[in-house]
Amino acid sequence: MQGCGGVDAFAATRLAAGTAFLVVAAASDLRTRRVRNPLWIALGTLGLVVLVVELFVESAPWPTWSLAGSAALLFYAVFFGRPLFDEDGFHARPGRIVLFLAAAAMWIAPVGSVGTVASSVPIVELASMPVMVVLYELMLRARLLGGGADAKCLMALTLLVPTYPDASPFPVFTADPRVQPAFQAIFPFSFVVLVDALILQLVVPVGLFVYNLTRGDIGIQSFLGYRAPLDPFPKHVRLMERITDRGEHVVVLRPKRESDPTAEIVKLRAAGIRRAWVTPWVPFMVPLLGGFLLAFLAGNLLVAVLSLAR
């Protein structure tokens, strides 16, 4: 199903929808450092609707429908119902356990059909959908992702762009044609978005260092933050300096995001300190928006860098 300029109509729809939703998310993240769940529920649902239409138009076989159903169950389970694990530990919730078992069965059932069922929709790539939803949840729990909104964004993008889009002449950078199919199976599109976003975020420490260099503030902390007045204390930053119980003045390179700086600010002021190192709470939705556009139009930046390095 081709749109203008050879770009597949489904790819064009996904690009437009993803860009629009991520622009709204980035604006909210910049303004309040929060993105509410309804946005991700709407984006994931839209992605499922587009996928259902695509599967119907392409007369896709049953394994593709089963894989899409498995991903849908896991996605909505993130937003609705009480979790099996919380701060109090494990809770046996029969309904939720049955739901997860159903999702697992819907994922396992088509596995034997991979490579034997002819389909214009790549079954191997669709099989990664439930896996990526679970992976992003695990990455959030392991604190490999900065916040819940980041993980939920990537889950929604997994449903929106479940397979590599047919957007010729994009992306500009691709792997060797001999390994491209394996590459697409191992690195799903939403993971490429994450990789590109992380590469874009490297601009932040470089920018901070250049800013600090112009002010004569040099040190390892100059890659992570900048000096700011304690009165008034700026918004959306974390305090890096502390006065310990022994009265020592120290710099903490990775302060906890949830910590209340009020008590520490009082101690620092009492010690005669008026300006202290802070690290900005950088909204990750902005690089995720850039990563989404780059993944669509440029491809995997890591592959591009490695190709240029050879």
Side-chain angles (χ1 to χ4, degrees):
M1 186 175 180
Q2 297 293 320
C4 60
V7 177
D8 180 82
F10 290 112
T13 300
R14 288 170 169 133
L15 175 60
T19 302
F21 274 83
L22 285 174
V23 165
V24 173
S28 176
D29 206 6
L30 282 168
R31 186 173 62 256
T32 66
R33 296 305 191 270
R34 293 185 62 188
V35 184
R36 298 189 179 277
N37 285 342
L39 186 72
W40 306 128
I41 296 172
L43 180 58
T45 301
L46 176 60
L48 285 171
V49 170
V50 174
L51 178 58
V52 166
V53 173
E54 183 178 18
L55 295 180
F56 181 79
V57 169
E58 300 293 345
S59 299
W62 72 266
T64 59
W65 293 92
S66 183
L67 293 169
S70 174
L73 285 178
L74 293 173
F75 175 76
Y76 288 117
V78 172
F79 301 94
F80 303 104
R82 293 181 296 174
L84 295 178
F85 294 92
D86 58 23
E87 295 177 355
D88 299 325
F90 175 78
H91 300 274
R93 309 191 196 279
R96 201 163 182 83
I97 292 174
V98 169
L99 182 148
F100 289 143
L101 290 175
M106 294 173 70
W107 183 80
I108 294 173
V111 169
S113 302
V114 174
T116 63
V117 175
S119 174
S120 58
V121 181
I123 294 179
V124 174
E125 291 182 45
L126 283 183
S128 70
M129 291 174 63
V131 176
M132 296 309 296
V133 172
V134 173
L135 177 62
Y136 293 135
E137 178 68 24
L138 293 176
M139 290 177 69
L140 175 62
R141 291 183 178 275
R143 298 185 180 275
L144 296 177
L145 288 172
D150 304 339
K152 293 167 186 175
C153 172
L154 291 166
M155 293 176 192
L157 290 178
T158 296
L159 271 58
L160 178 68
V161 195
T163 63
Y164 276 65
D166 180 8
S168 180
F170 303 107
V172 176
F173 301 108
T174 59
D176 188 296
R178 293 170 295 181
V179 300
Q180 183 66 14
F183 179 87
Q184 293 180 180
I186 297 172
F187 298 99
F189 183 84
S190 65
F191 194 75
V192 175
V193 173
L194 176 59
V195 170
D196 286 358
L198 290 173
I199 292 175
L200 285 178
Q201 201 175 28
L202 292 177
V203 173
V204 175
V206 174
L208 285 171
F209 178 76
V210 172
Y211 172 77
N212 288 317
L213 187 63
T214 62
R215 297 163 61 92
D217 294 329
I218 305 300
I220 186 64
Q221 67 269 28
S222 61
F223 288 95
L224 305 172
Y226 60 92
R227 290 186 188 274
L230 294 177
D231 186 19
F233 192 69
K235 295 181 179 180
H236 307 311
V237 299
R238 285 170 281 171
L239 186 62
M240 298 174 68
E241 296 190 33
R242 300 282 188 275
I243 301 295
T244 67
D245 294 337
R246 297 181 179 181
E248 299 174 338
H249 180 204
V250 298
V251 175
V252 179
L253 296 181
R254 299 196 59 172
K256 294 181 180 179
R257 179 180 295 184
E258 298 81 5
S259 59
D260 184 356
T262 304
E264 297 298 336
I265 290 174
V266 171
K267 292 180 183 179
L268 289 169
R269 286 174 178 167
I273 298 172
R274 297 293 176 262
R275 295 175 62 85
W277 283 94
V278 298
T279 183
W281 183 355
V282 180
F284 193 51
M285 285 302 140
V286 176
L288 275 176
L289 168 61
F292 177 75
L293 293 173
L294 283 172
F296 234 104
L297 304 177
N300 191 326
L301 293 184
L302 187 59
V303 170
V305 171
L306 294 176
S307 298
L308 291 174
R310 288 189 302 179

